[in-house]
Amino acid sequence: LAQVSFGLKGSEAFIVLLAHISLCSKDTLTCIDMLGTLKTIFWPSDRREAPVVATTMDNLDAKNRRARVQNVKAEDYPTPEKYLEGAEIPTFYSFQSNLVADEDLVPGMVRVLEVDKRLTLPTRTHIRFLVTGQDVIHSFAIPSLGVKTDGIPGRINRINTFIQREGVFYGQCSELCGTLHGFMPIVVEAVSPETYAAHARKWYKE
């Protein structure tokens, strides 16, 4: 076929090749060889193509693809330049909420789920939580509010909620974070917007 094609003009050789390909269309390997011949006749290339490396199980070995591991702490993240230049760091009301021990429980408290300081939030208000972690990965979860998000060091996760009724909602850390994982309760007390305004005014003033 190659000898016949070289003795003809370009269009005639092209027709001859197509005729041979149509005759042997049932033989897949022969048709592939003919297409390769057609490519070398009409599109010659002096460039040497790079050898194709077949993907094998040996190429997928972990020795050939080593992952780069680097320990990153929250302190390693850069501080924004505006704060380094003397900008005022915004302040906010903060408090620490701890588990109520068994010897401090009073009638009406839920064991292992009660805290000494509850998080007070208003009802009928769109609330946004910004959750992060300081030491390891935690999970801020309050099932009765449909709220659950991870607290990851160096990262801030946002989640929204809208509380429609007043009440007390219990939750806890739902991530295996360490030996004290079972003693990290979360308690949200939802009150009316008017009650919350008086409550917030008192604590922010102090």
Side-chain angles (χ1 to χ4, degrees):
L1 177 61
Q3 294 177 356
V4 174
S5 300
F6 282 129
L8 300 175
K9 295 182 181 180
S11 59
E12 296 175 352
F14 182 74
I15 295 173
V16 171
L17 285 174
L18 290 180
H20 281 275
I21 291 174
S22 61
L23 291 176
C24 64
S25 59
K26 296 182 179 180
D27 192 347
T28 306
L29 296 178
T30 306
C31 293
I32 294 176
D33 294 338
M34 288 184 178
L35 289 175
T37 305
L38 177 64
K39 180 179 179 181
T40 57
I41 294 175
F42 293 100
W43 295 281
S45 177
D46 296 334
R47 297 177 299 175
R48 295 182 179 179
E49 297 181 357
V52 179
V53 180
T55 303
T56 61
M57 295 301 296
D58 297 336
N59 297 336
L60 299 178
D61 190 7
K63 296 180 180 179
N64 299 330
R65 299 191 309 170
R66 295 183 179 274
R68 183 180 178 184
V69 180
Q70 183 179 1
N71 293 329
V72 180
K73 300 179 181 179
E75 294 81 6
D76 298 336
Y77 285 84
T79 304
E81 295 183 358
K82 62 179 182 179
Y83 296 134
L84 295 177
E85 296 174 356
E88 183 180 357
I89 299 178
T91 59
F92 52 90
Y93 171 67
S94 62
F95 67 96
Q96 185 172 354
S97 180
N98 298 317
L99 169 72
V100 176
D102 293 345
E103 55 271 15
D104 298 330
L105 290 174
V106 298
M109 288 186 176
V110 182
R111 181 179 177 273
V112 191
L113 287 179
E114 192 61 61
V115 296
D116 54 356
K117 291 184 179 181
R118 296 176 174 178
L119 175 61
T120 305
L121 296 176
T123 58
R124 305 187 305 277
T125 304
H126 292 279
I127 300 170
R128 180 179 64 178
F129 291 100
L130 300 178
V131 183
T132 186
Q134 186 176 3
D135 46 4
V136 296
I137 299 178
H138 298 277
S139 182
F140 183 83
I142 307 176
S144 53
L145 289 181
V147 172
K148 181 178 181 181
T149 184
D150 289 338
I152 304 175
R155 182 183 180 91
I156 297 179
N157 290 332
R158 185 184 70 179
I159 192 169
N160 301 323
T161 186
F162 185 88
I163 307 175
Q164 298 182 352
R165 62 180 178 84
E166 301 179 12
V168 180
F169 305 90
Y170 294 92
Q172 58 186 150
C173 176
S174 60
E175 185 74 32
L176 294 177
C177 55
T179 57
L180 301 179
H181 160 70
F183 307 97
M184 300 182 63
I186 303 169
V187 181
V188 172
E189 183 176 357
V191 297
S192 63
E194 296 77 16
T195 305
Y196 176 80
H199 173 82
R201 188 180 302 109
K202 171 187 175 182
W203 286 103
Y204 275 100
K205 183 178 180 180
E206 294 181 358

